Structure formats: structure tokens, C-alpha cells
Amino acid sequence: MRDELAGFTIGVTADRRRDELAALLERRGARVVLAPALRIVPLADDTDLRDATRACLDRPPDVLMANTGIGMRGWLEAAEGWGLAEPLKGVLSRAYVVARGPKARGAIRAAGLHDQWSPASESCEEVVEHLCRRGVAGQVIAMQLHGDRQPECTEALEAAGATVIEVPVYRWAPPTDPAPLHRLIDLVAGRLVDAVTFTSAPAAEALLRAAGDRTEAVLAALRGDVLVSCVGAVTAEPLVRRGVPVSAPARARLGALVRTIVDELPRRTVTVKAAGHLLTLRGHAAVIDGELRPLAPAPMAVLRALAARPGRVLSRTELLRTLPRGADEHAVEMAVARLRVGLRAPRVVQTVVKRGYRLRVE
């Protein structure tokens, strides 16, 4: 099939570039669930940002830590509104500029400034280690924050003798409408999505925080059936810390993230031969002899249970456990009937009289 992700459902937790990421996934056939975990709130009128800008003008920094592209652009745009853009660029042009990643580097260069160094890991910790090895005693460091404060980085630089000016350009806030996020949490806990993507560490933290008393169920799903794909190692850190296996591209780009998912998800599928057909299970569909057959959740759950033990007879009681709470044995019969219709291959699922159902394997 040309649509590598056809039949898979993928959750997208990004806010700012969610449409771009969704389009890349949908172009490859995926069903996308949009559920921003956080939103970015600019602080162009914030007193703290203005005060930090004036502090940089009063005490020109020896070092600039540019953490994000959106943050650097937002800072310079705010300074433009206050009539301080040119003086700010003037003092920053004389600083040793560290760009934490490619987006920050792009914003620096677009402003006519020049970056001198970037960390391979794109982590603040590596930036701090580099600066401390270089020597920061007696220096002033302007640290453009990316959302929240980074006290561990600030404290390490101050312990090495630097004066740190924290520059808060934006903050993270809960989504305006939390309903999509809670729906995604339900889908993850119920293992009704195949993958979840994260493009920032705060978003990963926010999803787990929003899960509340379902956190352990969500983590159990993320450690097993649901693929977690992060744009980079920094984004993955809160999940790795909780024992969640994460896939991430070598370069922190949305295109590379999607390619990682394209490589990884199909490897997790189950393929069996039944009644002369080759059957591959995807998230919300089965591929039978190369043809995609979308299935509703109940028939898909029954097929997944049968394919896990091909050839073995499963009783109605056993299959009932795979269906939503409140279902009865009649619901099992209906799910099997819908499965046969959906597959368009009625002989794949065999009825064993007075015992149950099985996949007709050869």
C-alpha cells in the first residue's frame, strides 16, 4: 500500500504546529486526533519581559542563550513595539551567542545576528556544561526562557560565577478547550490510538497531569501498546524518566518525526494467515490481501483477540472481556457478524458450535 499509515490512529498533542504535523500524517493515510496539551501565551506586554530587556541594555550580556525560535522572534518583536529593537540587537551582536537548536539558530540569523555554537543534543544541560567549561565567572548571561523557568540551569551558571538575566517571552497555559485532551487520554488508556506524538517536554508533562487518576492506566498503555514518538531527546525526557519507551528521530524536525512513525508503526502489526487470506491488523483496520478494511472498535477488538491466539477457540465469555463494559454475549455475536461483513471474507472467522469462535488458520 502507498499509504504507509492507513488504518492507524495517531494523537497529536502539539499546539502551534499541530495542523502541519496532522497534514504530514494524514498525507500518509493516518487518522489523526488533535488534542493540544498546552498553548503558548505571548508576553509582549509583560512587565517582566520589558524589565529583562532593559536589564540587557543596562548591562550588555557577554553570552546569549537562545532557546527557541518563537521565543527569540517574540522578544525582538516586543522590543520593536517598545522602540528598543535596534539597541537590543546592538548589545546582542557583541555577545557570544549559543543557539540551542536549529529553530533558534534560524531566528538569530534572520535578525542579522551570528551564533557561535549549538549543542548536539539540543539540551540546556549541554549548553550549561559548554559555557562552564568555557568559563563564565564575572560574565552576564541573557537566558531566553522557553515557557517555564529553568532554575537548575540558572543556578548552575550562577554557581560558576555568572550573573543570569532570565528573559521570559511566553508561558505555557492549559488549552482553551480541554475536552480534546481528555478525549485523547481516554483513547490512550483504552488503547484505541496506535501512537501519540509530542513536540515539547511540557506537553508530555501536561498530558500526564491532565490524566489525574488515570495516569497509571495511561502510562501502562504508553509502556506497551501505544507508540510514543517525540521530536527529540529533550522532549522525551519526562516520559523516559517514567519508564516509557520512546522513538525519536536523530534530528528534531517534524518531517523526521513522521518518518520515524512510518518506520516504527507497521513493525508493530500482527500478521496471520486465515482461510487462505493474509491478514494484517492495524489500529482501526485490517489489511486483507493488501486491501484496507476499516473496522469499528468492537469487531476490531474481537479480531485482535482471535489473532493473538490463531486457531484457538475463544468462548463468548472470553471475547466479551475485550468489549466495552456493559456488553453482553449478544454483543459478541453482533461484533463477530460485523467483523465478517467488514472483512468481506466470512470464512476467516469460524463458529465452533457450543464453544465459541476461532480464526480458521491453515
Side-chain angles (χ1 to χ4, degrees):
M1 292 191 313
R2 288 175 296 176
D3 296 331
E4 306 102 320
L5 297 179
F8 293 114
T9 300
I10 300 174
V12 171
T13 62
D15 176 33
R16 193 172 60 88
R17 301 182 69 188
R18 64 183 182 273
D19 293 336
E20 180 183 352
L21 179 53
L24 289 170
L25 293 167
E26 288 171 345
R27 204 173 296 150
R28 288 160 176 80
R31 177 188 293 173
V32 174
V33 177
L34 290 176
L38 290 172
R39 61 191 170 96
I40 292 174
V41 180
L43 301 180
D45 297 324
D46 188 79
T47 302
D48 291 341
L49 177 57
R50 190 189 291 247
D51 289 346
T53 302
R54 292 200 177 278
C56 289
L57 297 176
D58 293 340
R59 294 190 65 187
D62 301 285
V63 176
L64 167 63
M65 283 179 61
N67 279 312
T68 62
I70 187 175
M72 285 305 303
R73 288 193 299 273
W75 184 15
L76 293 169
E77 286 167 8
E80 183 76 41
W82 303 323
L84 300 175
E86 291 309 313
L88 179 60
K89 287 181 186 178
V91 299
L92 295 181
S93 69
R94 297 189 290 274
Y96 178 79
V97 178
V98 173
R100 187 172 62 87
K103 295 174 188 174
R105 185 185 309 119
I108 287 292
R109 294 178 182 179
L113 302 173
H114 301 283
D115 53 291
Q116 278 81 30
W117 186 81
S118 291
S121 67
E122 300 185 15
S123 71
C124 289
E125 290 76 10
E126 188 178 350
V127 172
V128 170
E129 290 171 5
H130 169 76
L131 292 177
C132 288
R133 283 196 304 270
R134 188 171 179 270
V136 295
Q139 295 190 345
V140 175
I141 299 175
M143 181 190 295
Q144 175 255 312
L145 302 179
H146 52 106
D148 300 321
R149 288 191 67 247
Q150 298 153 267
E152 65 285 352
C153 295
T154 299
E155 290 166 7
L157 291 169
E158 288 176 339
T163 298
V164 178
I165 301 173
E166 295 182 330
V167 183
V169 186
Y170 58 84
R171 63 184 174 86
W172 297 108
T176 304
D177 179 8
L181 178 60
H182 288 289
R183 176 171 173 260
L184 177 60
I185 289 167
D186 288 340
L187 292 173
V188 171
R191 293 165 166 79
L192 295 174
V193 294
D194 303 289
V196 181
T197 63
F198 295 96
T199 57
S200 72
E205 294 277 15
L207 183 140
L208 295 175
R209 193 163 52 246
D213 59 6
R214 293 170 293 173
T215 301
E216 286 308 314
V218 168
L219 285 172
L222 297 180
R223 290 171 185 143
D225 297 326
V226 179
L227 172 69
V228 178
S229 197
C230 296
V231 76
V234 175
T235 297
E237 196 277 330
L239 296 159
V240 171
R241 194 170 65 239
R242 291 171 171 87
V244 174
V246 169
S247 70
R251 300 183 69 216
R253 303 285 193 283
L254 290 189
L257 173 65
V258 171
R259 285 192 294 275
T260 299
I261 296 170
V262 168
D263 289 342
E264 185 70 23
L265 264 186
R267 294 179 190 164
R268 299 161 70 99
T269 58
V270 174
T271 298
V272 295
K273 283 187 176 181
H277 300 282
L278 188 64
L279 191 65
T280 299
L281 279 63
R282 294 195 166 199
H284 62 265
V287 180
I288 183 163
D289 300 330
E291 294 293 325
L292 188 74
R293 302 280 189 255
L295 296 169
M300 193 71 217
V302 168
L303 178 58
R304 205 173 288 283
L306 294 172
R309 285 162 284 187
R312 176 184 161 185
V313 177
L314 296 186
S315 69
R316 288 175 176 81
T317 301
E318 288 175 296
L319 291 175
L320 183 59
R321 297 191 195 106
T322 70
L323 300 183
R325 290 179 185 175
D328 55 19
E329 290 195 2
H330 177 66
V332 173
E333 294 171 6
M334 290 299 297
V336 170
R338 292 171 68 193
L339 174 59
R340 286 170 170 156
V341 171
L343 291 177
R344 303 179 202 171
R347 294 185 65 252
V348 166
V349 180
Q350 179 184 13
T351 301
V352 181
V353 179
K354 295 184 180 180
R355 293 181 60 198
Y357 303 94
R358 71 183 183 96
L359 283 189
R360 192 190 298 267
V361 298
E362 298 175 349

Short mmCIF file of all heavy atoms in Angstrom, two decimals, residues 29-87:
data_model
loop_
_atom_site.label_atom_id
_atom_site.label_comp_id
_atom_site.label_asym_id
_atom_site.label_seq_id
_atom_site.Cartn_x
_atom_site.Cartn_y
_atom_site.Cartn_z
N GLY A 29 -1.99 8.61 5.19
CA GLY A 29 -3.13 7.74 5.43
C GLY A 29 -3.60 7.62 6.86
O GLY A 29 -4.58 6.92 7.13
N ALA A 30 -2.93 8.26 7.83
CA ALA A 30 -3.30 8.10 9.23
C ALA A 30 -4.59 8.84 9.56
O ALA A 30 -4.93 9.84 8.94
CB ALA A 30 -2.18 8.61 10.13
N ARG A 31 -5.30 8.34 10.54
CA ARG A 31 -6.40 9.07 11.17
C ARG A 31 -5.80 9.84 12.34
O ARG A 31 -5.11 9.25 13.19
CB ARG A 31 -7.48 8.11 11.66
CG ARG A 31 -8.64 8.78 12.39
CD ARG A 31 -9.56 7.74 13.01
NE ARG A 31 -10.25 6.96 12.01
CZ ARG A 31 -11.01 5.90 12.29
NH1 ARG A 31 -11.11 5.48 13.55
NH2 ARG A 31 -11.62 5.24 11.33
N VAL A 32 -6.02 11.15 12.41
CA VAL A 32 -5.36 11.99 13.40
C VAL A 32 -6.37 12.51 14.42
O VAL A 32 -7.46 12.97 14.06
CB VAL A 32 -4.64 13.18 12.72
CG1 VAL A 32 -4.08 14.14 13.76
CG2 VAL A 32 -3.53 12.66 11.82
N VAL A 33 -5.99 12.43 15.69
CA VAL A 33 -6.77 13.00 16.77
C VAL A 33 -6.01 14.22 17.28
O VAL A 33 -4.92 14.09 17.85
CB VAL A 33 -6.98 11.99 17.92
CG1 VAL A 33 -7.75 12.64 19.07
CG2 VAL A 33 -7.71 10.75 17.41
N LEU A 34 -6.56 15.41 17.06
CA LEU A 34 -5.91 16.65 17.51
C LEU A 34 -6.30 16.94 18.95
O LEU A 34 -7.49 17.02 19.28
CB LEU A 34 -6.32 17.82 16.62
CG LEU A 34 -5.78 17.83 15.19
CD1 LEU A 34 -6.35 19.01 14.42
CD2 LEU A 34 -4.27 17.89 15.18
N ALA A 35 -5.30 17.09 19.82
CA ALA A 35 -5.57 17.32 21.24
C ALA A 35 -4.43 18.11 21.85
O ALA A 35 -3.56 17.55 22.53
CB ALA A 35 -5.75 15.99 21.97
N PRO A 36 -4.37 19.43 21.62
CA PRO A 36 -3.29 20.23 22.21
C PRO A 36 -3.24 20.06 23.73
O PRO A 36 -4.27 20.21 24.41
CB PRO A 36 -3.66 21.67 21.81
CG PRO A 36 -4.53 21.51 20.60
CD PRO A 36 -5.30 20.24 20.82
N ALA A 37 -2.07 19.74 24.24
CA ALA A 37 -1.91 19.58 25.69
C ALA A 37 -1.67 20.91 26.37
O ALA A 37 -1.95 21.07 27.57
CB ALA A 37 -0.76 18.62 25.98
N LEU A 38 -1.12 21.88 25.63
CA LEU A 38 -0.81 23.21 26.15
C LEU A 38 -1.00 24.23 25.03
O LEU A 38 -1.10 23.86 23.87
CB LEU A 38 0.64 23.28 26.65
CG LEU A 38 1.01 22.51 27.91
CD1 LEU A 38 2.53 22.55 28.09
CD2 LEU A 38 0.33 23.09 29.15
N ARG A 39 -1.02 25.48 25.40
CA ARG A 39 -0.97 26.55 24.39
C ARG A 39 0.06 27.58 24.83
O ARG A 39 0.36 27.71 26.02
CB ARG A 39 -2.33 27.22 24.20
CG ARG A 39 -2.88 27.89 25.44
CD ARG A 39 -4.33 28.30 25.26
NE ARG A 39 -4.90 28.72 26.53
CZ ARG A 39 -4.97 30.00 26.94
NH1 ARG A 39 -4.52 30.97 26.14
NH2 ARG A 39 -5.49 30.31 28.10
N ILE A 40 0.61 28.26 23.84
CA ILE A 40 1.62 29.28 24.10
C ILE A 40 0.94 30.63 24.26
O ILE A 40 0.15 31.05 23.41
CB ILE A 40 2.65 29.33 22.96
CG1 ILE A 40 3.49 28.05 22.96
CG2 ILE A 40 3.55 30.55 23.08
CD1 ILE A 40 4.43 27.95 21.78
N VAL A 41 1.23 31.31 25.35
CA VAL A 41 0.67 32.64 25.60
C VAL A 41 1.81 33.65 25.51
O VAL A 41 2.70 33.65 26.37
CB VAL A 41 0.01 32.72 26.99
CG1 VAL A 41 -0.56 34.12 27.23
CG2 VAL A 41 -1.09 31.67 27.11
N PRO A 42 1.83 34.50 24.47
CA PRO A 42 2.91 35.50 24.36
C PRO A 42 2.85 36.52 25.50
O PRO A 42 1.78 36.81 26.03
CB PRO A 42 2.62 36.19 23.01
CG PRO A 42 1.68 35.28 22.30
CD PRO A 42 0.89 34.57 23.36
N LEU A 43 4.00 37.07 25.84
CA LEU A 43 4.08 38.05 26.92
C LEU A 43 4.59 39.40 26.41
O LEU A 43 5.38 40.06 27.07
CB LEU A 43 5.00 37.53 28.03
CG LEU A 43 4.60 36.21 28.68
CD1 LEU A 43 5.61 35.82 29.75
CD2 LEU A 43 3.21 36.29 29.28
N ALA A 44 4.11 39.82 25.24
CA ALA A 44 4.63 41.05 24.65
C ALA A 44 4.40 42.26 25.54
O ALA A 44 5.16 43.23 25.51
CB ALA A 44 3.99 41.27 23.28
N ASP A 45 3.34 42.25 26.34
CA ASP A 45 3.05 43.39 27.21
C ASP A 45 3.46 43.13 28.66
O ASP A 45 3.09 43.89 29.55
CB ASP A 45 1.54 43.70 27.16
CG ASP A 45 1.08 44.11 25.77
OD1 ASP A 45 1.87 44.78 25.08
OD2 ASP A 45 -0.04 43.73 25.39
N ASP A 46 4.20 42.08 28.86
CA ASP A 46 4.54 41.69 30.22
C ASP A 46 5.66 42.56 30.79
O ASP A 46 6.67 42.83 30.15
CB ASP A 46 4.98 40.22 30.23
CG ASP A 46 5.15 39.70 31.64
OD1 ASP A 46 4.14 39.38 32.26
OD2 ASP A 46 6.31 39.62 32.09
N THR A 47 5.46 42.98 32.02
CA THR A 47 6.44 43.83 32.70
C THR A 47 7.78 43.13 32.86
O THR A 47 8.84 43.75 32.69
CB THR A 47 5.91 44.25 34.08
OG1 THR A 47 4.66 44.94 33.91
CG2 THR A 47 6.89 45.18 34.78
N ASP A 48 7.74 41.82 33.15
CA ASP A 48 9.00 41.08 33.35
C ASP A 48 9.84 41.06 32.09
O ASP A 48 11.07 41.16 32.15
CB ASP A 48 8.70 39.65 33.81
CG ASP A 48 8.12 39.60 35.21
OD1 ASP A 48 8.28 40.59 35.95
OD2 ASP A 48 7.50 38.59 35.56
N LEU A 49 9.19 40.91 30.94
CA LEU A 49 9.94 40.90 29.68
C LEU A 49 10.56 42.26 29.40
O LEU A 49 11.72 42.35 28.99
CB LEU A 49 9.01 40.50 28.52
CG LEU A 49 9.63 40.51 27.12
CD1 LEU A 49 10.86 39.60 27.05
CD2 LEU A 49 8.60 40.09 26.08
N ARG A 50 9.81 43.32 29.64
CA ARG A 50 10.36 44.66 29.43
C ARG A 50 11.51 44.93 30.39
O ARG A 50 12.55 45.48 30.00
CB ARG A 50 9.26 45.72 29.62
CG ARG A 50 9.70 47.13 29.20
CD ARG A 50 8.65 48.16 29.61
NE ARG A 50 7.43 48.00 28.85
CZ ARG A 50 6.99 48.90 27.97
NH1 ARG A 50 7.68 50.00 27.75
NH2 ARG A 50 5.85 48.71 27.34
N ASP A 51 11.35 44.50 31.65
CA ASP A 51 12.42 44.71 32.63
C ASP A 51 13.68 43.94 32.25
O ASP A 51 14.80 44.45 32.38
CB ASP A 51 11.95 44.27 34.02
CG ASP A 51 10.90 45.21 34.62
OD1 ASP A 51 10.73 46.33 34.08
OD2 ASP A 51 10.27 44.82 35.61
N ALA A 52 13.50 42.70 31.75
CA ALA A 52 14.65 41.91 31.33
C ALA A 52 15.35 42.55 30.13
O ALA A 52 16.59 42.55 30.04
CB ALA A 52 14.21 40.49 30.99
N THR A 53 14.57 43.11 29.23
CA THR A 53 15.14 43.79 28.06
C THR A 53 15.97 44.99 28.50
O THR A 53 17.09 45.21 28.01
CB THR A 53 14.02 44.22 27.10
OG1 THR A 53 13.26 43.07 26.72
CG2 THR A 53 14.58 44.89 25.85
N ARG A 54 15.42 45.78 29.39
CA ARG A 54 16.16 46.96 29.88
C ARG A 54 17.41 46.54 30.65
O ARG A 54 18.44 47.22 30.59
CB ARG A 54 15.25 47.83 30.74
CG ARG A 54 14.13 48.50 29.94
CD ARG A 54 13.56 49.72 30.65
NE ARG A 54 12.56 50.37 29.83
CZ ARG A 54 12.82 51.22 28.85
NH1 ARG A 54 14.08 51.51 28.57
NH2 ARG A 54 11.85 51.78 28.15
N ALA A 55 17.33 45.41 31.37
CA ALA A 55 18.50 44.92 32.09
C ALA A 55 19.61 44.56 31.11
O ALA A 55 20.80 44.81 31.37
CB ALA A 55 18.13 43.71 32.95
N CYS A 56 19.25 43.99 29.95
CA CYS A 56 20.25 43.66 28.93
C CYS A 56 20.86 44.93 28.33
O CYS A 56 22.05 44.94 27.96
CB CYS A 56 19.62 42.81 27.82
SG CYS A 56 19.21 41.12 28.32
N LEU A 57 20.07 45.99 28.22
CA LEU A 57 20.60 47.25 27.69
C LEU A 57 21.50 47.93 28.72
O LEU A 57 22.52 48.55 28.36
CB LEU A 57 19.45 48.18 27.28
CG LEU A 57 18.56 47.67 26.14
CD1 LEU A 57 17.40 48.63 25.91
CD2 LEU A 57 19.37 47.50 24.86
N ASP A 58 21.13 47.82 29.99
CA ASP A 58 21.93 48.46 31.05
C ASP A 58 23.22 47.69 31.31
O ASP A 58 24.27 48.29 31.59
CB ASP A 58 21.12 48.53 32.35
CG ASP A 58 19.93 49.49 32.23
OD1 ASP A 58 19.95 50.36 31.33
OD2 ASP A 58 18.97 49.35 33.03
N ARG A 59 23.14 46.34 31.22
CA ARG A 59 24.32 45.50 31.43
C ARG A 59 24.44 44.55 30.25
O ARG A 59 23.95 43.42 30.30
CB ARG A 59 24.21 44.69 32.73
CG ARG A 59 24.21 45.53 34.00
CD ARG A 59 24.33 44.64 35.21
NE ARG A 59 25.62 43.94 35.25
CZ ARG A 59 25.95 43.00 36.14
NH1 ARG A 59 25.07 42.62 37.05
NH2 ARG A 59 27.15 42.43 36.11
N PRO A 60 25.03 44.99 29.15
CA PRO A 60 25.10 44.17 27.93
C PRO A 60 25.64 42.77 28.23
O PRO A 60 26.69 42.62 28.86
CB PRO A 60 26.05 44.96 27.03
CG PRO A 60 25.87 46.37 27.46
CD PRO A 60 25.69 46.30 28.95
N PRO A 61 24.90 41.73 27.81
CA PRO A 61 25.33 40.37 28.14
C PRO A 61 26.58 39.95 27.37
O PRO A 61 26.78 40.34 26.22
CB PRO A 61 24.11 39.52 27.72
CG PRO A 61 23.38 40.36 26.73
CD PRO A 61 23.61 41.78 27.11
N ASP A 62 27.38 39.16 28.06
CA ASP A 62 28.55 38.55 27.40
C ASP A 62 28.14 37.32 26.61
O ASP A 62 28.80 36.94 25.64
CB ASP A 62 29.59 38.15 28.46
CG ASP A 62 30.03 39.34 29.28
OD1 ASP A 62 30.81 40.16 28.76
OD2 ASP A 62 29.58 39.46 30.45
N VAL A 63 27.03 36.69 27.05
CA VAL A 63 26.55 35.46 26.42
C VAL A 63 25.04 35.57 26.24
O VAL A 63 24.33 36.05 27.12
CB VAL A 63 26.86 34.22 27.28
CG1 VAL A 63 26.27 32.95 26.67
CG2 VAL A 63 28.36 34.06 27.49
N LEU A 64 24.55 35.11 25.09
CA LEU A 64 23.12 34.98 24.86
C LEU A 64 22.79 33.51 24.65
O LEU A 64 23.36 32.86 23.78
CB LEU A 64 22.68 35.77 23.62
CG LEU A 64 21.27 35.47 23.10
CD1 LEU A 64 20.21 35.86 24.13
CD2 LEU A 64 21.01 36.17 21.76
N MET A 65 21.88 32.98 25.48
CA MET A 65 21.36 31.63 25.30
C MET A 65 20.01 31.74 24.60
O MET A 65 19.01 32.13 25.21
CB MET A 65 21.19 30.91 26.64
CG MET A 65 22.47 30.41 27.26
SD MET A 65 22.16 29.61 28.87
CE MET A 65 21.07 28.27 28.43
N ALA A 66 19.99 31.44 23.31
CA ALA A 66 18.74 31.48 22.54
C ALA A 66 18.15 30.07 22.53
O ALA A 66 18.70 29.17 21.90
CB ALA A 66 19.01 31.96 21.12
N ASN A 67 17.04 29.89 23.22
CA ASN A 67 16.49 28.55 23.39
C ASN A 67 15.49 28.13 22.33
O ASN A 67 15.41 26.95 21.98
CB ASN A 67 15.85 28.42 24.77
CG ASN A 67 16.87 28.14 25.85
OD1 ASN A 67 17.71 27.26 25.69
ND2 ASN A 67 16.84 28.90 26.93
N THR A 68 14.68 29.06 21.83
CA THR A 68 13.66 28.69 20.84
C THR A 68 13.53 29.78 19.77
O THR A 68 13.77 30.97 20.04
CB THR A 68 12.27 28.52 21.50
OG1 THR A 68 11.85 29.76 22.07
CG2 THR A 68 12.29 27.43 22.55
N GLY A 69 13.11 29.36 18.59
CA GLY A 69 12.90 30.32 17.51
C GLY A 69 11.75 31.25 17.81
O GLY A 69 11.85 32.48 17.65
N ILE A 70 10.62 30.70 18.28
CA ILE A 70 9.46 31.53 18.56
C ILE A 70 9.76 32.51 19.69
O ILE A 70 9.28 33.64 19.70
CB ILE A 70 8.22 30.66 18.89
CG1 ILE A 70 6.97 31.53 19.00
CG2 ILE A 70 8.43 29.83 20.13
CD1 ILE A 70 5.69 30.74 19.21
N GLY A 71 10.58 32.07 20.65
CA GLY A 71 10.93 32.95 21.76
C GLY A 71 11.79 34.12 21.33
O GLY A 71 11.55 35.26 21.71
N MET A 72 12.81 33.85 20.51
CA MET A 72 13.68 34.93 20.04
C MET A 72 12.90 35.91 19.16
O MET A 72 13.05 37.13 19.28
CB MET A 72 14.88 34.36 19.27
CG MET A 72 15.95 33.73 20.15
SD MET A 72 16.58 34.84 21.45
CE MET A 72 17.16 36.25 20.49
N ARG A 73 12.07 35.37 18.27
CA ARG A 73 11.27 36.27 17.42
C ARG A 73 10.32 37.10 18.26
O ARG A 73 10.15 38.31 18.04
CB ARG A 73 10.49 35.46 16.39
CG ARG A 73 11.36 34.87 15.27
CD ARG A 73 10.51 34.35 14.13
NE ARG A 73 9.62 33.28 14.56
CZ ARG A 73 9.95 32.00 14.59
NH1 ARG A 73 11.17 31.63 14.20
NH2 ARG A 73 9.10 31.08 14.98
N GLY A 74 9.69 36.47 19.25
CA GLY A 74 8.76 37.20 20.11
C GLY A 74 9.44 38.29 20.91
O GLY A 74 8.90 39.38 21.08
N TRP A 75 10.66 38.01 21.38
CA TRP A 75 11.40 39.01 22.15
C TRP A 75 11.74 40.21 21.28
O TRP A 75 11.50 41.37 21.66
CB TRP A 75 12.67 38.36 22.70
CG TRP A 75 13.49 39.25 23.60
CD1 TRP A 75 13.10 40.42 24.19
CD2 TRP A 75 14.83 39.02 24.03
NE1 TRP A 75 14.11 40.94 24.97
CE2 TRP A 75 15.19 40.10 24.88
CE3 TRP A 75 15.76 38.02 23.78
CZ2 TRP A 75 16.44 40.19 25.47
CZ3 TRP A 75 17.01 38.11 24.38
CH2 TRP A 75 17.35 39.18 25.21
N LEU A 76 12.25 39.95 20.09
CA LEU A 76 12.64 41.06 19.21
C LEU A 76 11.41 41.84 18.71
O LEU A 76 11.46 43.07 18.56
CB LEU A 76 13.44 40.53 18.03
CG LEU A 76 14.82 39.95 18.41
CD1 LEU A 76 15.45 39.22 17.25
CD2 LEU A 76 15.75 41.06 18.91
N GLU A 77 10.29 41.14 18.50
CA GLU A 77 9.07 41.84 18.09
C GLU A 77 8.54 42.73 19.22
O GLU A 77 8.07 43.85 18.98
CB GLU A 77 8.01 40.82 17.68
CG GLU A 77 8.28 40.17 16.32
CD GLU A 77 7.41 38.96 16.08
OE1 GLU A 77 6.48 38.71 16.89
OE2 GLU A 77 7.65 38.25 15.07
N ALA A 78 8.61 42.21 20.46
CA ALA A 78 8.18 43.03 21.60
C ALA A 78 9.08 44.25 21.74
O ALA A 78 8.60 45.37 21.97
CB ALA A 78 8.21 42.19 22.88
N ALA A 79 10.39 44.04 21.58
CA ALA A 79 11.32 45.17 21.67
C ALA A 79 11.04 46.21 20.58
O ALA A 79 11.16 47.42 20.81
CB ALA A 79 12.76 44.65 21.56
N GLU A 80 10.67 45.73 19.39
CA GLU A 80 10.31 46.65 18.30
C GLU A 80 9.14 47.53 18.73
O GLU A 80 9.13 48.74 18.48
CB GLU A 80 9.92 45.82 17.06
CG GLU A 80 9.59 46.64 15.84
CD GLU A 80 10.82 47.21 15.16
OE1 GLU A 80 11.82 46.49 15.05
OE2 GLU A 80 10.75 48.39 14.77
N GLY A 81 8.14 46.91 19.39
CA GLY A 81 6.98 47.68 19.84
C GLY A 81 7.33 48.72 20.88
O GLY A 81 6.64 49.74 20.99
N TRP A 82 8.37 48.49 21.64
CA TRP A 82 8.79 49.46 22.65
C TRP A 82 9.83 50.44 22.10
O TRP A 82 10.33 51.29 22.85
CB TRP A 82 9.41 48.74 23.87
CG TRP A 82 8.50 47.74 24.50
CD1 TRP A 82 7.16 47.84 24.66
CD2 TRP A 82 8.88 46.47 25.06
NE1 TRP A 82 6.66 46.71 25.28
CE2 TRP A 82 7.69 45.85 25.54
CE3 TRP A 82 10.09 45.79 25.20
CZ2 TRP A 82 7.69 44.61 26.15
CZ3 TRP A 82 10.08 44.55 25.81
CH2 TRP A 82 8.90 43.97 26.29
N GLY A 83 10.20 50.30 20.83
CA GLY A 83 11.24 51.15 20.25
C GLY A 83 12.64 50.78 20.70
O GLY A 83 13.55 51.60 20.63
N LEU A 84 12.83 49.52 21.12
CA LEU A 84 14.11 49.09 21.68
C LEU A 84 14.80 48.02 20.82
O LEU A 84 15.84 47.49 21.22
CB LEU A 84 13.93 48.55 23.11
CG LEU A 84 13.34 49.52 24.14
CD1 LEU A 84 13.11 48.81 25.47
CD2 LEU A 84 14.30 50.71 24.34
N ALA A 85 14.23 47.70 19.65
CA ALA A 85 14.77 46.59 18.87
C ALA A 85 16.21 46.83 18.43
O ALA A 85 17.08 45.95 18.58
CB ALA A 85 13.89 46.31 17.65
N GLU A 86 16.50 47.99 17.88
CA GLU A 86 17.86 48.25 17.39
C GLU A 86 18.88 48.30 18.52
O GLU A 86 19.95 47.70 18.41
CB GLU A 86 17.89 49.52 16.54
CG GLU A 86 17.15 49.39 15.21
CD GLU A 86 17.58 48.16 14.43
OE1 GLU A 86 18.81 47.93 14.31
OE2 GLU A 86 16.69 47.42 13.94
N PRO A 87 18.60 49.01 19.63
CA PRO A 87 19.55 48.96 20.75
C PRO A 87 19.76 47.54 21.27
O PRO A 87 20.88 47.16 21.60
CB PRO A 87 18.90 49.84 21.82
CG PRO A 87 17.99 50.76 21.06
CD PRO A 87 17.51 49.97 19.89
#
